[in-house]
Amino acid sequence: MRIDFVTLFPDMFAPVMDASILGRAKEKGLLEWGCVNPRDFSDNKHHKVDDRPFGGGPGMVMMVEPLEKAVKSVKKKSSKTIFLSPQGEKFTDGKASQLAKEKHLVLVCGRYEGIDERALDLFDEELSIGDYVLTGGELPAMVVADAVVRKIPGVLKKEDAASSESFVEGLLDFPQYTRPRVWRGREVPEVLFSGDHKRIAAWRRDAAKAATKRKRPDLMSRA
Ligand code: 4FV
């Protein structure tokens, strides 16, 4: 998969995209990524990419022309172009699985108060990572990239495969334990040392259900 980030802050990405699992995905040739900066496509003398909102009001708005040129400099017929914004469809695990099948993602990061409404025609869809306002779309774009890339076959080691984890079956994950067996007098559940994988799987399923009921009752209806 290739991911192109359209951003005014390209230097934000390498520390995240080249680290750990995402970095190894690139080394394994399962991922390639790049950044394109609308400022490099702004042909006005001061490379302006933002301007005051028509009709007045606080803050600045991202201009459509540099954005269009930047998007079109990387967009191909097979590309899925996504704008990250609070107005978008809520990003979910299911959406991550869907996007993991794409060959090329173009993730467009807004800044300022927002972008010129006419630029929305450039995008296939809008995604939001949550109902709060950030200073830019860069962090949401990295959240989407992380959740999507780890679902690409071969990115996660078999044993860490994304098969058994939160939200896959609509439930939260079961409790995990590791050494020490006793910590501050608290013991790891005995069943996990039984070697009886049926009993362990049943215990984990019940524990996942209990955790979901307690922490995310809203998920129970879907589970
Ligand atoms: C956001 C979100 C988000 C809005 C104004 C960037 C900011 C600024 N994007 N999910 N929540 N974007 O807050 O995706 O331009």
Side-chain angles (χ1 to χ4, degrees):
M1 170 185 284
R2 181 176 173 83
I3 301 178
D4 281 297
F5 299 99
V6 178
T7 173
L8 295 172
F9 297 92
D11 300 346
M12 288 177 69
F13 289 83
V16 170
M17 297 303 294
D18 287 348
S20 179
I21 290 169
L22 299 183
R24 282 198 293 281
K26 191 167 92 175
E27 282 150 23
K28 289 186 218 171
L30 296 168
L31 170 69
E32 57 181 77
W33 65 273
C35 290
V36 58
N37 188 337
R39 202 174 290 283
D40 301 335
F41 296 83
S42 160
D43 49 19
N44 56 59
K45 62 183 176 309
H46 306 296
H47 294 297
K48 263 173 81 57
V49 292
D50 64 317
D51 208 330
R52 289 193 313 289
F54 283 135
M60 300 295 271
V61 176
M62 233 169 146
M63 299 164 75
V64 62
E65 291 144 324
L67 207 47
E68 178 189 25
K69 292 185 182 116
V71 169
K72 288 189 172 165
S73 74
V74 289
K75 186 175 180 159
K76 296 191 280 287
K77 266 195 296 314
S78 64
S79 310
K80 174 73 85 171
T81 305
I82 298 170
F83 178 55
L84 289 301
S85 96
Q87 285 85 32
E89 172 196 336
K90 195 62 70 60
F91 182 57
T92 63
D93 185 72
K95 175 58 75 172
S97 300
Q98 192 193 330
L99 294 176
K101 300 185 180 72
E102 296 287 338
K103 278 201 300 304
H104 183 218
L105 296 181
V106 179
L107 300 182
V108 182
C109 311
R111 277 275 158 175
Y112 313 107
E113 296 310 306
I115 66 174
D116 187 303
E117 187 75 8
R118 295 166 291 182
L120 295 180
D121 302 353
L122 299 167
F123 316 133
D124 299 307
E125 54 187 290
E126 268 185 277
L127 282 180
S128 169
I129 64 164
D131 299 338
Y132 39 81
V133 180
L134 302 165
T135 59
E138 283 76 12
L139 294 176
M142 289 186 240
V143 165
V144 169
D146 188 297
V148 168
V149 171
R150 64 188 295 285
K151 286 181 178 287
I152 296 171
V155 168
L156 287 184
K157 289 195 284 305
K158 281 275 158 294
E159 63 273 19
D160 318 341
S163 57
S164 61
E165 61 179 15
S166 292
F167 309 110
V168 166
E169 289 156 18
L171 288 176
L172 295 182
D173 215 348
F174 51 76
Q176 302 273 9
Y177 298 89
T178 188
R179 284 184 286 227
R181 186 163 177 164
V182 182
W183 174 73
R184 297 186 184 287
R186 298 183 52 197
E187 291 217 27
V188 171
E190 191 54 38
V191 63
L192 298 177
F193 301 98
S194 66
D196 177 339
H197 296 297
K198 269 199 174 20
R199 257 188 75 215
I200 292 170
W203 179 88
R204 283 176 166 173
R205 187 160 179 72
D206 296 346
K209 263 188 177 164
T212 307
K213 207 174 272 152
R214 194 172 63 253
K215 299 177 182 175
R216 292 289 308 278
D218 59 301
L219 288 175
M220 289 307 286
S221 53
R222 269 181 276 152

